[in-house]
């Protein structure tokens, strides 16, 4: 979280200071870091869910499918806004 926050605040500071020359590279780096962060958090979260719901694997499958669809939809929208 800290790395993403730093990238964001650096971009915001540069934009407020009207320093736009490196903004495209910063946005690209932020996107890459954000996707990597989501993948890491996703793995941890689903590992936790799988362990917590081992007795009810059908419930786990349903929850995972719904959450994955929501995450995918939100990320697609976010990435489309930044392209």
């Amino acid at each position: 979280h800290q790395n993403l926050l730093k990238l964001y605040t650096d971009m915001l500071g540069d934009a407020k200071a009207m320093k736009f020359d490196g903004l495209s590279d910063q946005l690209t780096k932020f996107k890459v870091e954000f996707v990597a962060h989501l993948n890491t958090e996703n793995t941890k979260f689903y590992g936790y869910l799988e362990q917590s719901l081992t007795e009810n694997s059908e419930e786990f499958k349903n929850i995972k499918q719904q959450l994955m669809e929501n995450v995918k939809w939100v990320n697609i929208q976010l990435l489309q806004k930044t392209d």
Side-chain angles (χ1 to χ4, degrees), residues 53-67:
L53 299 172
T54 53
E55 294 177 11
N56 195 344
S57 63
E58 193 60 38
E59 182 181 4
F60 170 73
K61 287 178 190 176
N62 291 336
I63 290 172
K64 183 176 179 180
Q65 183 178 6
Q66 289 172 346
L67 289 172

Side-chain angles (χ1 to χ4, degrees), residues 18-42:
M18 305 295 281
K19 297 178 183 176
F20 301 114
D21 55 332
L23 195 54
S24 180
D25 291 338
Q26 288 175 310
L27 282 170
T28 299
K29 183 175 182 177
F30 183 82
K31 282 183 186 181
V32 169
E33 296 276 336
F34 186 62
V35 169
H37 175 76
L38 288 174
N39 285 332
T40 299
E41 292 296 322
N42 195 26

